[in-house]
Amino acid sequence: MKTVYKFTYTLAFISAFSISAFAQDVTDDGEQAENVTVVKQDKPKQSYPTIAISGKVVDASTGAPLAGAQIKSYNNNNYTAMSDEDGTFTINVPEFVTSLAVNLDGYNLNRVAINGRKTGITVKLFTDNFIDSYKSKTTAVNTSDAQDFGTSTAISIDNEIHNRLGADVRTIQRSAIPGVGNSMFINGYNSLNLNAQPLIVLDGVIYDMQYDQNMAHTGYFNNLLSAINIDDIEDVKVLKNGTAIYGAKAANGVIVINTKRNKSMATSIDVNISAGLETTPTLPDMMGADEYRMYVSQLLNSTSTKLLQFKFLNSDPNYYYYNMYHNNTDWTDVVYNEAWTQNYGIHVSGGDDVASYNVSVGYTDSQSTLKKNDMDRFNIRFNTDINLIKNLSARFDASYSSVSRNLRDDGLISDFSSAPVSSPSMLALLKAPFLSPYDYATNGERSDFVSDADTYLKEILGNEGALANPLGILTNGDAINKNNFQNMTINVAITPKWQINKNLSLQEHFSYTMQSMNEKYYTPIKGMPDYQVEGMGLVNNSRRVMDSQMNSIFSDTRFDWAIPLGSHRLDVFGGARFISDSFTLADVKGYNTGSDKTPTSDNNYKTAVGDDQDWKSLSYYANVDYNYKEKYYLTGQFSLETSSRFGKEGNNGIGLFGVRWGFFPSLQGSWVLSNEDWFHSNKFVNMLKVNAGFESVGNDAIDNSAALTYMSCANLINDKVTSIGITNIGNPSLSWETTNRFNVGFEGNFFDNRLNVRFNYFTSKTSNLITYSKLAYVAGLEDYCTNEGALKNNGFDVSVVSKLVNMDKFKMELGASLGHYKNKLSSLSSDVNEHVTDLYGGQVISRVGSPVGLFYGYKTDGVFSTTAEANEANLYIVDNVGTKHYFGAGDIKFVNTNPEVDNCIDENDRVVIGNPNPDVYGNIFANFYIGKHLSVNAGFNYCLGNDIYNYQRSILERGSHFYNQTTAVERHWVVEGQETDIMKVVYSDPLGNSRFSDRWIEDGSYFKLKNLTVNYKFNIKNEYIKGLSVWASANNLFTISKYLGSDPEVSCGNGVLCQGIDAGYLTSGRSFMLGLKINL
Amino acid sequence: MRKILNITLVLFTVLSIISCSDTWDEHYHDGNKGLSYDGSLIDYLKSHEELSDFAQLVTATGFDRELETKTGQFFTLMAPVNGTFDKETYLDMINDGRKEEVIKSFIKNHITRMDVSYSPDAAAKSIRMWNAKIFSMTPDAHIGDATIISDNIKCKNGIIYTLDNSLPFQPNIYEKIEIEHNKWLANHPEAAEEEELISLYTFLSKYNQDSLDVAHSISRDYDENGNPIYVDSVMIRNNSILVGLDAMIYEEDSNYTAIIPSVSAFQERYNEAKSYLNYNPYIDSKNNTNLCDSLQKYFATSFAMSDMFYNMNVNKYPQDSVVSTTYNRLSDWQNHVYYNPFNEDGIFSGYNEKFNCSNGTVYMYDNYPLSVTDQFFKKKEYLCYDLSNLSSETSFTKNIVTDYERFVLLIQNGNNTYTEHPLVTIAPSKPSVSPHVGINMTNNLSATYDIYMVYSPNWILSYPSYEKAYETAMEDSLAYDGGKGDISKINWKIPIQSTKFRALVYERDDAGKYPSSSKSYVLKPTKGDKFETRVTNVVDTLYLGSYTFNHAYYDSNEQSQLLPTGAVLQIQVDVTTKEFNNYQYSRNLYLSKIILVPRVEEETESDQILTVKQR
């Protein structure tokens, strides 16, 4: 395999050079990327007949003439002019020029269609407070982008993508632990079992985001984007289509992130300081001490206890244990606090015509509202551009980022009853409020010693009912060698570029990235109950250390060739891209450390597992952008990609050099109607562009070794014998998933460029889905990976931005975006029509003909109020031994969906009870500019029509265990005739009243004021300070939602099927930040 | 169209801001929904005139605090309306310092921790009150014998039912015994003056200890002697006698049947039992204690109580037979089985009064339905195979081979089963002398027993010389019938001989000394002055005569330092040299066991009593 790659890689170099050899007679400027510093202007060698066009440039708000504006032919630097003092200009452009670009410092770019006019063209420029309506270059591919994150309060860029590009990317917060970020989906769900999140391209380098990496701490995800300081980011682009050059990695869309580079030779020093406070999140209302005691007192009846008096039920204030069991502890106070965040950043940029640089150093210290989940980050980024010799330049970039954290388990694990609750956030809700976090001394007084796991139910339940003391987990589990996380990212990139001539260049982008992660997990002895571990018996604590390192080598060799041919223009680039990743992981687990003071694992029991994986991919790609008269645009793309993850056999793709290659083409076209000569210039339509396209892209996020057959070690006979057994039966014809996507849309500027509307519709089909097929029983393994099944997505997004008020002293901009998708599973494997996945006590069904991720469970119809009502319904369940148990008064009235069969409530009565896919989602924003110094920005997010499985509430309102419950359970059924929606409380729920049903499915629609920022720019200009601004920002000021959990923005993981499940991970509170920007 | 709808939806949601926040409140802040009465249980009692008597008693006992919402407990209250109980009597009891009694028998008898919901459509259910008494709630609106006036009144901290009658307090068996005792005491005021009152209740209550559960108690400090001072003493209600009997009649955990004699009958049986327990005063002098007296009292009471309690959860077919709780701890459980107890002559008939308690049934008798032989005067067996039953004192055991040959004789029964007969060979160490062996009489009572010896004849293995006999038997068994296996064709070359012996009982005197052989008691043989073994049966029994033990050694054994072995039965083989040399008698004895059979009448029916299988 390796030799094949070496060979093909060499081939890539040769082919790249050979193509460039044909491109020497081409002239004209050919800058492709906007971030290239050297812009050279030469007179065109070829001259065309020109015409003179004259007009006037004015300020859009005041109508005042603007002098010094640059007027040029659109996307062509060869024909320029400048406006006079009265704003008038005359420019000579060739006849084929259809539009002019006008810009002026402090104003937005305007593109004006000529439409056959020679005089009287009035160009109204809007100040650069407003969002740009035009781009300096147009291609057939539509992209959405966002820039200027100067007042962002987010830790990682995905939050800003949520806030700013809400309809382009559907983002769902993973958790509000600082930096854990958001799951992101573009164009619906383009996979079922593989990663469905977009490809991240940072400064041209493809990043492996390790989406399927398991962490030791529940509820935590190592979001690699959080290693990047938002302050370092210049812009973010979302590519929803036309992504074929990213080939087998592009099916889920692409997010391109570019970091800041130097733009001018003047030395500039920017200092950013901000600090703020986040309040604790909204939590479900839990019972107080008295209400909980009453709940326990009732629940005791359904246990087998014959005790008549309990310590915690003795209400005599003189009783020795009275104080111990008569606290009113709000455990959330123990676990949550107000969280402070501080940010410091300094950017220094400058240079000369030989070398320029942008250096930034940043430090972020972000507390979490959930105690002991704090993070701090230190980062350095060093971006340089060097002109080595004539025609040879190089970019040299280096960055270092170190993230360290405290961590504790957060939220719920999938199988709630399989292990003791170890997450302080859940314990804060479940723990009996009449207990105290501190021990009571023998004199009956409360001490300062943190108490151990509770024992008040020991007489009744033994050890099983014991709950940990969250304060014990927080304090006794706190040390750098106990619960700690470190992630270090080092990147070095060098990009030599040979400008062969004005129009042709060749560059090699080489990047090395190291991601090193170390996570330590520890549950303390004091504070946690003992618990059973399979094969180990009763243990008193556990410890786990995970170390992983990923080394990524990325090489991209490409040429850029610009071919201006008068009215035609051709921009071509292409090359070869080689990615090699290696990942090692050591995961060591031990138990019974003996003491909380020496949490070492050199104890009697250890398990160690590890990973040592390499994966590589190689692709050849090319992109051709063509336009005629800047009216008709065509972009053709293709890539040819192979990967070590693909099977070497099979029919998919092309077989070359002993491996399978995927061919991924794309063709996009667009037409700017408004630039047509027949289009009469008017006030209502300033620009109108329609586009359509097709692409075929892939998803290669297959398990690295799924195509291989391999063995693994196993311990047999109580670990006495080490054996080796077959672990995977490889599928040699395993291939990528293929997504074919068709898109159509338009973009237009209307009403004197006051209204910008963009619309994009897509329909796609993903085939060759990776599914897990059952193996025959004799195989000894359950399943294997195969390409079967298909799913379809279609949807649209629309965004509207309006410059509603444009007065001299007051400006207002309003915008809204709306995204929608609909997906449908069109086939699974040949013999299966549906598949049910167990997740967090619920079931998610993948059924042909339905959207993915549907919740599949029981329908309910309230609670039986009377025995007569229950008797009439005559519903029952059948237990393991075949005995019928009837539902009685106070039990849940499940809907018997098959009354013609029986009255038994069993699996056959399950129906689809919820759909986590939203109808629409997006964001709304309003920006106000008052005077020259003050601006106010408000950003809203919304999502409508999605259902959430509130797993957390299903635990908190189960009414069948001795955990604290929400106040809703106070109205549980008690007596005959009581009308209520909460069933009677019965220990261990023998009838399954709290099974997965529509009781736990809720409307997840929300509308949220995500962000409100006020920025004041001081009018200071002196020798030392060039600029000073102060800003204040508030997040999550209000949320409108019917959701009964903390926050409707939830998912329990990165996978497609995990969306819409609330596992109780930390949600955001309100936060308030104050910031200062100084420009020196 | 869909898009338009969606956009409309957005606008609609924005406009319906106000309505949204209600969902949260409706869900989480509606705890009082479904209340029939918006107040606590005590508020309800106090605000309803028809329950004022009950409310008054609840308050008087301090139980009103328990029924407030702030205690955070949930109760169901079965409140009897005014005039259905004698309020004044209870108030008087409270004033007399008998508050706990009122709480237990009245207040807790009407409160349960269960959440009880009544429905005419539901099946009858058992309600366990706070004092553990159980009442049945039936679909026809009855709780016990009381009728429900109003049902399912849900208050903040519980449910209230009003009843047209109060619920009678059902004592458990222990409480019944106490009540009967107090009743008797009321009629016999002079008995209260007695220094030591003999009655079942006083005996049981002595062992009725609330012991300290050290593991669960909390000590804060130490006194000057270093003993912990407990700030929280967790007490365990324990009655060692009843626990030992597996008869926790003071708890509502099982269903018992009890035979309770009247106090005077108990005293009579106690005194009778005492005469069987005349311990040797030597025991006291040896241990320098007053042990004899206490042993006598203790065992006399135990004997009098024997087979009094029957756990009906264990006795599945009581019509056929019942075993008393005593059987659990004794290996001789067969002695505690009573057949057809409900028949006319059964133990559960002829009672004076039958009473249903909360944990079972009590049959009360004027006289014992159990005889002393039923209860404690039992047959005793001493298996000689068990060497500890053979005296190790050389004065009782002489001239016998020291490594006793022990073997088990299997006797085939008609139905292809086998009976085991363990035997020990008593043979002379030298052929010229006669052996004699002593068997320890342990655990005997001071009463008259008939003594029997079970043995096998000498042809089982005997020959003039032990080794010779063994060899011959081996040779013969190998040679018989050409090895084909017909045992009847064996040519036994062993002479069939009897053994002559004498039997003597040595019993310690009051000083603990054994008498000399001349002063020992000689059991008279039935004919002549020597016993002679019979040779016709494989296993035979010989009646050795009766003997009245002066002292009881009940609860003694060889190893016990406290109670030494009391008496020894010595078997002396008495065969003259001439008789031996002439092959007239054997000096070997194959002993199986010694049996003591209680003699309750003057005339013994020795052979009929024995049920040893004979061939």
Side-chain angles (χ1 to χ4, degrees), chain A residues 285 293-294 297 301 306 308-309 313 315 320-321 796 867-868 919 957 967-968 971 976 1040 1044, chain B residues 2-3 17 24 27-29 65-66 71-74 113-114 117-119 121 128 130 152 218 232:
Chain A
D285 291 322
R293 199 192 316 276
M294 203 181 295
S297 155
N301 293 312
K306 291 213 163 173
L308 293 161
Q309 188 58 281
L313 291 182
S315 53
Y320 177 73
Y321 291 106
F796 64 85
T867 310
D919 292 334
E957 293 179 6
T967 47
R971 62 173 183 274
E976 189 79 4
I1040 301 162
L1044 297 173
Chain B
R2 174 78 190 238
K3 296 155 207 163
I17 287 171
W24 184 279
H27 184 77
Y28 288 116
H29 301 141
R65 223 167 34 82
E66 294 282 350
T71 61
Q73 300 185 62
F74 194 91
R113 286 195 181 276
M114 295 171 74
S117 166
Y118 167 73
S119 164
D121 304 304
R128 190 163 172 261
W130 200 350
N152 296 331
I218 307 279
D232 175 61

Side-chain angles (χ1 to χ4, degrees), chain B residues 250-268:
Chain B
Y250 50 90
E251 283 181 359
E252 264 84 358
D253 69 330
S254 292
N255 184 21
Y256 295 96
T257 296
I259 293 170
I260 306 296
S262 67
V263 175
S264 54
F266 183 84
Q267 284 173 347
E268 198 181 302

Side-chain angles (χ1 to χ4, degrees), chain A residues 708-730:
Chain A
L708 306 173
T709 301
Y710 56 90
M711 324 276 272
S712 68
C713 288
N715 290 333
L716 300 176
I717 321 178
N718 291 334
D719 301 342
K720 290 196 177 81
V721 178
T722 306
S723 71
I724 189 162
I726 192 154
T727 309
N728 189 50
I729 295 184

